[in-house]
Amino acid sequence: QVLLEESGGGSVQAGDSLRLACAASGRPLAGRDIGWFRQAPGKEREFVAVIRWSGGGAWLRDSVKGRFTISKDNARNTVYLEMNNLRPEDTAAYSCSASQRRVILSALRDPASYTYWGHGTQVTVSS
């Protein structure tokens, strides 16, 4: 089992920045993909970003490209989501997730591709 714990959420003004962290424990992350998803009230969960723990590769949803960055720290077993120039529409509960194994490219944005989930951290952006 992989245990995931998010941190770094908060309430900010539009244009501000936040850095979310997803700390993993339990089974190794090698060979897995680590994703960030978000869910706003009344809306479906949506893909934000994903990074391959092994072998490189990272992807972002179009609406956050140029503002968000996903990265990892192998030594700390942690994945980060750096969020800059935040907008009110970024308001949501952000959760990180881990797959059982490497996910095919076409399925990286599907929440069903991920087995382990953290409890989430709230990000609220005011205009």
Side-chain angles (χ1 to χ4, degrees), residues 61-119:
R61 70 178 294 112
D62 286 346
S63 63
V64 307
K65 287 179 181 177
R67 300 188 298 124
F68 291 15
T69 303
I70 187 169
S71 63
K72 62 184 177 72
D73 184 330
N74 288 25
R76 295 178 184 272
N77 247 23
T78 299
V79 172
Y80 299 100
L81 185 67
E82 184 77 37
M83 307 186 295
N84 298 312
N85 193 20
L86 282 161
R87 304 168 180 170
E89 54 263 39
D90 295 317
T91 295
Y94 284 70
S95 300
C96 67
S97 57
S99 63
Q100 282 280 29
R101 59 189 63 82
R102 192 179 183 96
V103 179
I104 61 173
L105 203 59
S106 59
L108 282 171
R109 290 167 172 76
D110 184 353
S113 298
Y114 301 85
T115 303
Y116 305 104
W117 291 84
H119 293 297

Short mmCIF file of all heavy atoms in Angstrom, two decimals, residues 61-119:
data_model
loop_
_atom_site.label_atom_id
_atom_site.label_comp_id
_atom_site.label_asym_id
_atom_site.label_seq_id
_atom_site.Cartn_x
_atom_site.Cartn_y
_atom_site.Cartn_z
N ARG A 61 -2.58 19.94 -17.30
CA ARG A 61 -3.77 20.29 -18.06
C ARG A 61 -3.54 21.65 -18.71
O ARG A 61 -2.76 22.47 -18.18
CB ARG A 61 -5.02 20.31 -17.19
CG ARG A 61 -5.12 21.42 -16.19
CD ARG A 61 -6.45 21.36 -15.40
NE ARG A 61 -7.60 21.61 -16.23
CZ ARG A 61 -8.52 20.70 -16.53
NH1 ARG A 61 -8.39 19.45 -16.08
NH2 ARG A 61 -9.56 21.01 -17.28
N ASP A 62 -4.17 21.89 -19.82
CA ASP A 62 -3.89 23.09 -20.61
C ASP A 62 -4.10 24.38 -19.81
O ASP A 62 -3.33 25.33 -19.94
CB ASP A 62 -4.77 23.11 -21.87
CG ASP A 62 -4.31 22.10 -22.91
OD1 ASP A 62 -3.18 21.58 -22.77
OD2 ASP A 62 -5.08 21.83 -23.85
N SER A 63 -5.14 24.43 -18.99
CA SER A 63 -5.47 25.67 -18.31
C SER A 63 -4.46 26.07 -17.23
O SER A 63 -4.51 27.20 -16.73
CB SER A 63 -6.87 25.58 -17.69
OG SER A 63 -6.91 24.57 -16.69
N VAL A 64 -3.54 25.19 -16.87
CA VAL A 64 -2.55 25.53 -15.85
C VAL A 64 -1.14 25.62 -16.42
O VAL A 64 -0.20 25.98 -15.69
CB VAL A 64 -2.58 24.54 -14.66
CG1 VAL A 64 -4.00 24.42 -14.10
CG2 VAL A 64 -2.03 23.18 -15.04
N LYS A 65 -0.99 25.30 -17.68
CA LYS A 65 0.34 25.39 -18.29
C LYS A 65 0.84 26.83 -18.25
O LYS A 65 0.09 27.77 -18.50
CB LYS A 65 0.29 24.90 -19.74
CG LYS A 65 0.14 23.40 -19.86
CD LYS A 65 0.08 22.96 -21.32
CE LYS A 65 -0.10 21.45 -21.43
NZ LYS A 65 -0.23 21.00 -22.83
N GLY A 66 2.10 26.98 -17.89
CA GLY A 66 2.67 28.31 -17.74
C GLY A 66 2.48 28.89 -16.35
O GLY A 66 3.09 29.91 -16.01
N ARG A 67 1.62 28.27 -15.55
CA ARG A 67 1.37 28.75 -14.18
C ARG A 67 1.74 27.71 -13.13
O ARG A 67 2.24 28.04 -12.05
CB ARG A 67 -0.10 29.12 -14.00
CG ARG A 67 -0.59 30.20 -14.94
CD ARG A 67 -2.01 30.65 -14.58
NE ARG A 67 -2.99 29.58 -14.69
CZ ARG A 67 -3.79 29.19 -13.70
NH1 ARG A 67 -3.71 29.77 -12.51
NH2 ARG A 67 -4.68 28.23 -13.89
N PHE A 68 1.48 26.44 -13.42
CA PHE A 68 1.75 25.35 -12.47
C PHE A 68 2.95 24.54 -12.95
O PHE A 68 3.19 24.39 -14.15
CB PHE A 68 0.55 24.41 -12.37
CG PHE A 68 -0.67 24.97 -11.70
CD1 PHE A 68 -0.83 26.32 -11.46
CD2 PHE A 68 -1.69 24.11 -11.31
CE1 PHE A 68 -1.96 26.83 -10.85
CE2 PHE A 68 -2.83 24.58 -10.69
CZ PHE A 68 -2.97 25.95 -10.48
N THR A 69 3.68 24.00 -11.98
CA THR A 69 4.80 23.11 -12.27
C THR A 69 4.72 21.92 -11.34
O THR A 69 4.49 22.08 -10.13
CB THR A 69 6.14 23.83 -12.05
OG1 THR A 69 6.20 25.01 -12.85
CG2 THR A 69 7.30 22.92 -12.43
N ILE A 70 4.92 20.73 -11.87
CA ILE A 70 4.97 19.53 -11.04
C ILE A 70 6.40 19.04 -11.00
O ILE A 70 7.10 19.04 -12.03
CB ILE A 70 4.01 18.43 -11.55
CG1 ILE A 70 3.95 17.27 -10.57
CG2 ILE A 70 4.36 17.98 -12.96
CD1 ILE A 70 2.84 16.26 -10.87
N SER A 71 6.85 18.64 -9.82
CA SER A 71 8.22 18.17 -9.66
C SER A 71 8.26 17.12 -8.56
O SER A 71 7.28 16.93 -7.84
CB SER A 71 9.16 19.33 -9.33
OG SER A 71 8.81 19.92 -8.09
N LYS A 72 9.41 16.46 -8.41
CA LYS A 72 9.53 15.44 -7.38
C LYS A 72 10.88 15.51 -6.72
O LYS A 72 11.86 15.97 -7.31
CB LYS A 72 9.28 14.04 -7.97
CG LYS A 72 10.28 13.62 -9.04
CD LYS A 72 9.88 12.28 -9.62
CE LYS A 72 10.81 11.86 -10.74
NZ LYS A 72 12.13 11.46 -10.27
N ASP A 73 10.91 15.05 -5.48
CA ASP A 73 12.14 14.95 -4.72
C ASP A 73 12.28 13.49 -4.31
O ASP A 73 11.58 13.02 -3.41
CB ASP A 73 12.07 15.87 -3.49
CG ASP A 73 13.36 15.89 -2.69
OD1 ASP A 73 14.09 14.88 -2.69
OD2 ASP A 73 13.62 16.92 -2.05
N ASN A 74 13.17 12.79 -5.02
CA ASN A 74 13.31 11.35 -4.77
C ASN A 74 13.73 11.07 -3.33
O ASN A 74 13.23 10.12 -2.71
CB ASN A 74 14.34 10.76 -5.73
CG ASN A 74 13.82 10.67 -7.14
OD1 ASN A 74 12.94 11.42 -7.53
ND2 ASN A 74 14.35 9.76 -7.91
N ALA A 75 14.62 11.88 -2.79
CA ALA A 75 15.13 11.63 -1.45
C ALA A 75 14.04 11.78 -0.39
O ALA A 75 14.06 11.09 0.63
CB ALA A 75 16.29 12.57 -1.15
N ARG A 76 13.11 12.69 -0.65
CA ARG A 76 12.03 12.94 0.32
C ARG A 76 10.76 12.17 -0.01
O ARG A 76 9.78 12.29 0.71
CB ARG A 76 11.71 14.44 0.37
CG ARG A 76 12.87 15.29 0.89
CD ARG A 76 12.50 16.76 0.87
NE ARG A 76 13.61 17.61 1.28
CZ ARG A 76 13.86 17.96 2.53
NH1 ARG A 76 13.09 17.52 3.50
NH2 ARG A 76 14.89 18.73 2.81
N ASN A 77 10.77 11.42 -1.11
CA ASN A 77 9.57 10.69 -1.53
C ASN A 77 8.36 11.62 -1.63
O ASN A 77 7.25 11.29 -1.20
CB ASN A 77 9.25 9.57 -0.54
CG ASN A 77 9.44 8.19 -1.16
OD1 ASN A 77 10.18 8.03 -2.12
ND2 ASN A 77 8.76 7.20 -0.60
N THR A 78 8.58 12.78 -2.21
CA THR A 78 7.56 13.83 -2.23
C THR A 78 7.41 14.40 -3.64
O THR A 78 8.41 14.59 -4.33
CB THR A 78 7.92 14.95 -1.24
OG1 THR A 78 7.98 14.40 0.08
CG2 THR A 78 6.89 16.06 -1.26
N VAL A 79 6.19 14.66 -4.01
CA VAL A 79 5.86 15.33 -5.26
C VAL A 79 5.28 16.70 -4.93
O VAL A 79 4.45 16.83 -4.02
CB VAL A 79 4.87 14.51 -6.09
CG1 VAL A 79 4.38 15.30 -7.31
CG2 VAL A 79 5.52 13.21 -6.54
N TYR A 80 5.70 17.70 -5.68
CA TYR A 80 5.26 19.07 -5.43
C TYR A 80 4.43 19.58 -6.61
O TYR A 80 4.67 19.23 -7.77
CB TYR A 80 6.46 19.98 -5.24
CG TYR A 80 7.32 19.61 -4.06
CD1 TYR A 80 8.50 18.88 -4.25
CD2 TYR A 80 6.97 19.97 -2.77
CE1 TYR A 80 9.29 18.53 -3.17
CE2 TYR A 80 7.75 19.62 -1.69
CZ TYR A 80 8.92 18.90 -1.89
OH TYR A 80 9.69 18.54 -0.83
N LEU A 81 3.49 20.43 -6.30
CA LEU A 81 2.75 21.17 -7.31
C LEU A 81 2.90 22.64 -6.99
O LEU A 81 2.29 23.14 -6.05
CB LEU A 81 1.27 20.76 -7.34
CG LEU A 81 0.44 21.38 -8.45
CD1 LEU A 81 0.89 20.86 -9.81
CD2 LEU A 81 -1.05 21.10 -8.25
N GLU A 82 3.76 23.29 -7.76
CA GLU A 82 3.98 24.72 -7.59
C GLU A 82 2.93 25.46 -8.41
O GLU A 82 2.82 25.26 -9.62
CB GLU A 82 5.38 25.09 -8.09
CG GLU A 82 5.76 26.54 -7.89
CD GLU A 82 6.16 26.86 -6.46
OE1 GLU A 82 6.79 25.99 -5.83
OE2 GLU A 82 5.83 27.96 -5.97
N MET A 83 2.14 26.30 -7.74
CA MET A 83 1.04 26.99 -8.41
C MET A 83 1.26 28.49 -8.32
O MET A 83 1.28 29.05 -7.22
CB MET A 83 -0.30 26.61 -7.76
CG MET A 83 -0.52 25.09 -7.68
SD MET A 83 -2.16 24.65 -7.09
CE MET A 83 -2.09 25.29 -5.43
N ASN A 84 1.44 29.13 -9.44
CA ASN A 84 1.67 30.56 -9.51
C ASN A 84 0.50 31.24 -10.22
O ASN A 84 -0.25 30.61 -10.97
CB ASN A 84 2.97 30.86 -10.25
CG ASN A 84 4.17 30.27 -9.55
OD1 ASN A 84 4.34 30.43 -8.34
ND2 ASN A 84 5.02 29.59 -10.30
N ASN A 85 0.37 32.54 -10.00
CA ASN A 85 -0.67 33.33 -10.65
C ASN A 85 -2.03 32.63 -10.52
O ASN A 85 -2.75 32.44 -11.51
CB ASN A 85 -0.32 33.54 -12.13
CG ASN A 85 -1.19 34.59 -12.79
OD1 ASN A 85 -1.80 35.42 -12.12
ND2 ASN A 85 -1.26 34.53 -14.11
N LEU A 86 -2.37 32.29 -9.31
CA LEU A 86 -3.61 31.57 -9.07
C LEU A 86 -4.83 32.40 -9.45
O LEU A 86 -4.82 33.64 -9.32
CB LEU A 86 -3.69 31.13 -7.61
CG LEU A 86 -2.83 29.90 -7.28
CD1 LEU A 86 -2.57 29.82 -5.78
CD2 LEU A 86 -3.51 28.64 -7.78
N ARG A 87 -5.85 31.72 -9.90
CA ARG A 87 -7.10 32.34 -10.33
C ARG A 87 -8.25 31.79 -9.50
O ARG A 87 -8.16 30.68 -8.99
CB ARG A 87 -7.35 32.03 -11.80
CG ARG A 87 -6.23 32.44 -12.75
CD ARG A 87 -6.44 31.85 -14.12
NE ARG A 87 -5.37 32.23 -15.06
CZ ARG A 87 -5.22 31.69 -16.26
NH1 ARG A 87 -6.07 30.75 -16.68
NH2 ARG A 87 -4.24 32.09 -17.04
N PRO A 88 -9.35 32.53 -9.40
CA PRO A 88 -10.50 32.02 -8.65
C PRO A 88 -10.97 30.65 -9.15
O PRO A 88 -11.42 29.82 -8.35
CB PRO A 88 -11.56 33.09 -8.87
CG PRO A 88 -10.76 34.35 -9.03
CD PRO A 88 -9.54 33.93 -9.79
N GLU A 89 -10.84 30.41 -10.44
CA GLU A 89 -11.29 29.12 -11.00
C GLU A 89 -10.38 27.96 -10.61
O GLU A 89 -10.70 26.79 -10.89
CB GLU A 89 -11.41 29.19 -12.53
CG GLU A 89 -10.17 29.67 -13.24
CD GLU A 89 -10.21 31.15 -13.57
OE1 GLU A 89 -10.71 31.93 -12.72
OE2 GLU A 89 -9.73 31.51 -14.67
N ASP A 90 -9.26 28.24 -9.95
CA ASP A 90 -8.40 27.17 -9.43
C ASP A 90 -8.88 26.68 -8.06
O ASP A 90 -8.34 25.71 -7.52
CB ASP A 90 -6.95 27.66 -9.29
CG ASP A 90 -6.31 28.00 -10.63
OD1 ASP A 90 -6.50 27.23 -11.59
OD2 ASP A 90 -5.61 29.04 -10.70
N THR A 91 -9.88 27.34 -7.51
CA THR A 91 -10.41 26.95 -6.21
C THR A 91 -10.97 25.53 -6.26
O THR A 91 -11.81 25.22 -7.10
CB THR A 91 -11.51 27.93 -5.76
OG1 THR A 91 -10.92 29.21 -5.55
CG2 THR A 91 -12.18 27.45 -4.48
N ALA A 92 -10.46 24.67 -5.38
CA ALA A 92 -10.89 23.28 -5.35
C ALA A 92 -10.16 22.55 -4.23
O ALA A 92 -9.22 23.09 -3.64
CB ALA A 92 -10.57 22.59 -6.68
N ALA A 93 -10.61 21.33 -3.99
CA ALA A 93 -9.85 20.41 -3.12
C ALA A 93 -8.88 19.67 -4.02
O ALA A 93 -9.29 19.04 -5.00
CB ALA A 93 -10.78 19.44 -2.42
N TYR A 94 -7.60 19.75 -3.69
CA TYR A 94 -6.56 19.13 -4.50
C TYR A 94 -6.10 17.83 -3.82
O TYR A 94 -5.76 17.84 -2.63
CB TYR A 94 -5.37 20.08 -4.66
CG TYR A 94 -5.62 21.19 -5.63
CD1 TYR A 94 -6.52 22.21 -5.34
CD2 TYR A 94 -4.97 21.23 -6.86
CE1 TYR A 94 -6.77 23.23 -6.25
CE2 TYR A 94 -5.20 22.25 -7.78
CZ TYR A 94 -6.10 23.24 -7.46
OH TYR A 94 -6.35 24.25 -8.36
N SER A 95 -6.07 16.77 -4.60
CA SER A 95 -5.65 15.47 -4.08
C SER A 95 -4.54 14.91 -4.93
O SER A 95 -4.53 15.09 -6.15
CB SER A 95 -6.82 14.48 -4.09
OG SER A 95 -7.88 14.93 -3.29
N CYS A 96 -3.61 14.21 -4.28
CA CYS A 96 -2.61 13.51 -5.06
C CYS A 96 -2.94 12.02 -5.07
O CYS A 96 -3.68 11.52 -4.21
CB CYS A 96 -1.20 13.76 -4.53
SG CYS A 96 -0.84 13.09 -2.93
N SER A 97 -2.40 11.36 -6.06
CA SER A 97 -2.74 9.96 -6.28
C SER A 97 -1.52 9.22 -6.82
O SER A 97 -0.63 9.83 -7.40
CB SER A 97 -3.89 9.86 -7.27
OG SER A 97 -3.55 10.51 -8.49
N ALA A 98 -1.53 7.91 -6.65
CA ALA A 98 -0.44 7.08 -7.15
C ALA A 98 -1.03 5.86 -7.86
O ALA A 98 -2.01 5.26 -7.39
CB ALA A 98 0.46 6.64 -6.01
N SER A 99 -0.42 5.52 -8.97
CA SER A 99 -0.88 4.35 -9.71
C SER A 99 -0.19 3.10 -9.19
O SER A 99 0.81 3.16 -8.48
CB SER A 99 -0.58 4.53 -11.20
OG SER A 99 0.82 4.63 -11.40
N GLN A 100 -0.75 1.96 -9.57
CA GLN A 100 -0.11 0.69 -9.20
C GLN A 100 1.15 0.47 -10.00
O GLN A 100 2.14 -0.07 -9.51
CB GLN A 100 -1.07 -0.48 -9.48
CG GLN A 100 -2.17 -0.68 -8.45
CD GLN A 100 -1.67 -1.42 -7.21
OE1 GLN A 100 -0.50 -1.34 -6.84
NE2 GLN A 100 -2.57 -2.12 -6.56
N ARG A 101 1.10 0.88 -11.24
CA ARG A 101 2.22 0.71 -12.16
C ARG A 101 2.14 1.82 -13.20
O ARG A 101 1.21 2.64 -13.18
CB ARG A 101 2.15 -0.65 -12.83
CG ARG A 101 0.87 -0.91 -13.62
CD ARG A 101 0.76 -2.36 -14.06
NE ARG A 101 0.69 -3.27 -12.95
CZ ARG A 101 -0.41 -3.54 -12.27
NH1 ARG A 101 -1.53 -2.95 -12.60
NH2 ARG A 101 -0.39 -4.42 -11.28
N ARG A 102 3.10 1.86 -14.09
CA ARG A 102 3.14 2.88 -15.13
C ARG A 102 1.83 2.86 -15.92
O ARG A 102 1.35 1.82 -16.33
CB ARG A 102 4.32 2.61 -16.05
CG ARG A 102 4.66 3.74 -17.00
CD ARG A 102 5.87 3.34 -17.83
NE ARG A 102 6.34 4.37 -18.72
CZ ARG A 102 7.31 5.23 -18.44
NH1 ARG A 102 7.94 5.15 -17.29
NH2 ARG A 102 7.69 6.13 -19.31
N VAL A 103 1.30 4.04 -16.14
CA VAL A 103 0.02 4.21 -16.84
C VAL A 103 0.29 4.56 -18.30
O VAL A 103 1.19 5.35 -18.60
CB VAL A 103 -0.82 5.31 -16.17
CG1 VAL A 103 -2.14 5.53 -16.89
CG2 VAL A 103 -1.07 4.96 -14.70
N ILE A 104 -0.50 3.99 -19.20
CA ILE A 104 -0.32 4.35 -20.61
C ILE A 104 -0.68 5.81 -20.81
O ILE A 104 -1.51 6.38 -20.08
CB ILE A 104 -1.17 3.46 -21.54
CG1 ILE A 104 -2.67 3.61 -21.23
CG2 ILE A 104 -0.73 2.00 -21.42
CD1 ILE A 104 -3.56 2.87 -22.20
N LEU A 105 -0.05 6.42 -21.79
CA LEU A 105 -0.17 7.86 -22.00
C LEU A 105 -1.61 8.32 -22.09
O LEU A 105 -1.99 9.33 -21.51
CB LEU A 105 0.60 8.24 -23.25
CG LEU A 105 1.06 9.69 -23.37
CD1 LEU A 105 1.96 10.07 -22.21
CD2 LEU A 105 1.81 9.90 -24.69
N SER A 106 -2.42 7.58 -22.80
CA SER A 106 -3.80 8.00 -23.04
C SER A 106 -4.66 7.93 -21.79
O SER A 106 -5.76 8.48 -21.77
CB SER A 106 -4.42 7.14 -24.14
OG SER A 106 -4.41 5.77 -23.77
N ALA A 107 -4.20 7.25 -20.76
CA ALA A 107 -4.98 7.09 -19.53
C ALA A 107 -4.47 7.92 -18.36
O ALA A 107 -5.03 7.83 -17.26
CB ALA A 107 -5.02 5.62 -19.14
N LEU A 108 -3.45 8.70 -18.57
CA LEU A 108 -2.84 9.47 -17.48
C LEU A 108 -3.82 10.45 -16.86
O LEU A 108 -3.71 10.77 -15.69
CB LEU A 108 -1.60 10.19 -17.96
CG LEU A 108 -0.33 9.36 -18.11
CD1 LEU A 108 0.75 10.17 -18.80
CD2 LEU A 108 0.15 8.85 -16.76
N ARG A 109 -4.75 10.97 -17.62
CA ARG A 109 -5.67 11.98 -17.11
C ARG A 109 -6.94 11.39 -16.49
O ARG A 109 -7.80 12.12 -16.02
CB ARG A 109 -6.05 12.94 -18.24
CG ARG A 109 -4.90 13.84 -18.68
CD ARG A 109 -5.19 14.55 -19.97
NE ARG A 109 -4.17 15.56 -20.31
CZ ARG A 109 -2.97 15.29 -20.77
NH1 ARG A 109 -2.61 14.06 -20.98
NH2 ARG A 109 -2.13 16.29 -21.04
N ASP A 110 -7.04 10.07 -16.47
CA ASP A 110 -8.23 9.41 -15.96
C ASP A 110 -8.03 9.04 -14.49
O ASP A 110 -7.13 8.27 -14.17
CB ASP A 110 -8.49 8.15 -16.78
CG ASP A 110 -9.76 7.44 -16.38
OD1 ASP A 110 -10.38 7.86 -15.37
OD2 ASP A 110 -10.15 6.49 -17.06
N PRO A 111 -8.87 9.55 -13.59
CA PRO A 111 -8.71 9.20 -12.16
C PRO A 111 -8.75 7.70 -11.90
O PRO A 111 -8.12 7.22 -10.95
CB PRO A 111 -9.90 9.89 -11.49
CG PRO A 111 -10.28 10.99 -12.41
CD PRO A 111 -9.98 10.49 -13.79
N ALA A 112 -9.45 6.97 -12.75
CA ALA A 112 -9.57 5.52 -12.57
C ALA A 112 -8.23 4.80 -12.75
O ALA A 112 -8.10 3.63 -12.38
CB ALA A 112 -10.60 4.96 -13.54
N SER A 113 -7.24 5.49 -13.30
CA SER A 113 -5.92 4.88 -13.51
C SER A 113 -5.09 4.85 -12.22
O SER A 113 -4.03 4.24 -12.19
CB SER A 113 -5.16 5.65 -14.59
OG SER A 113 -5.84 5.59 -15.83
N TYR A 114 -5.58 5.50 -11.18
CA TYR A 114 -4.83 5.65 -9.95
C TYR A 114 -5.50 4.88 -8.82
O TYR A 114 -6.71 4.94 -8.65
CB TYR A 114 -4.68 7.13 -9.59
CG TYR A 114 -3.97 7.87 -10.70
CD1 TYR A 114 -4.68 8.36 -11.78
CD2 TYR A 114 -2.60 8.05 -10.66
CE1 TYR A 114 -4.03 9.02 -12.82
CE2 TYR A 114 -1.94 8.71 -11.68
CZ TYR A 114 -2.66 9.18 -12.77
OH TYR A 114 -2.01 9.82 -13.79
N THR A 115 -4.68 4.18 -8.04
CA THR A 115 -5.19 3.31 -6.98
C THR A 115 -5.19 3.96 -5.61
O THR A 115 -6.10 3.76 -4.82
CB THR A 115 -4.35 2.02 -6.92
OG1 THR A 115 -4.38 1.39 -8.20
CG2 THR A 115 -4.85 1.07 -5.85
N TYR A 116 -4.17 4.73 -5.33
CA TYR A 116 -4.00 5.30 -3.99
C TYR A 116 -4.24 6.80 -4.03
O TYR A 116 -3.78 7.50 -4.93
CB TYR A 116 -2.58 5.01 -3.48
CG TYR A 116 -2.24 3.54 -3.51
CD1 TYR A 116 -1.42 3.02 -4.51
CD2 TYR A 116 -2.78 2.66 -2.57
CE1 TYR A 116 -1.12 1.66 -4.55
CE2 TYR A 116 -2.49 1.31 -2.61
CZ TYR A 116 -1.66 0.82 -3.60
OH TYR A 116 -1.38 -0.52 -3.64
N TRP A 117 -4.95 7.27 -2.99
CA TRP A 117 -5.32 8.68 -2.93
C TRP A 117 -5.08 9.26 -1.54
O TRP A 117 -5.28 8.57 -0.53
CB TRP A 117 -6.81 8.85 -3.27
CG TRP A 117 -7.12 8.55 -4.69
CD1 TRP A 117 -7.35 7.32 -5.25
CD2 TRP A 117 -7.21 9.50 -5.75
NE1 TRP A 117 -7.58 7.44 -6.60
CE2 TRP A 117 -7.51 8.77 -6.93
CE3 TRP A 117 -7.08 10.88 -5.84
CZ2 TRP A 117 -7.67 9.40 -8.17
CZ3 TRP A 117 -7.24 11.49 -7.07
CH2 TRP A 117 -7.53 10.76 -8.22
N GLY A 118 -4.66 10.51 -1.52
CA GLY A 118 -4.60 11.22 -0.26
C GLY A 118 -5.95 11.80 0.09
O GLY A 118 -6.91 11.69 -0.69
N HIS A 119 -6.02 12.44 1.26
CA HIS A 119 -7.30 13.01 1.70
C HIS A 119 -7.58 14.38 1.09
O HIS A 119 -8.72 14.85 1.14
CB HIS A 119 -7.32 13.11 3.22
CG HIS A 119 -7.35 11.77 3.89
ND1 HIS A 119 -8.39 10.89 3.73
CD2 HIS A 119 -6.45 11.14 4.70
CE1 HIS A 119 -8.15 9.78 4.42
NE2 HIS A 119 -6.98 9.92 5.00
#
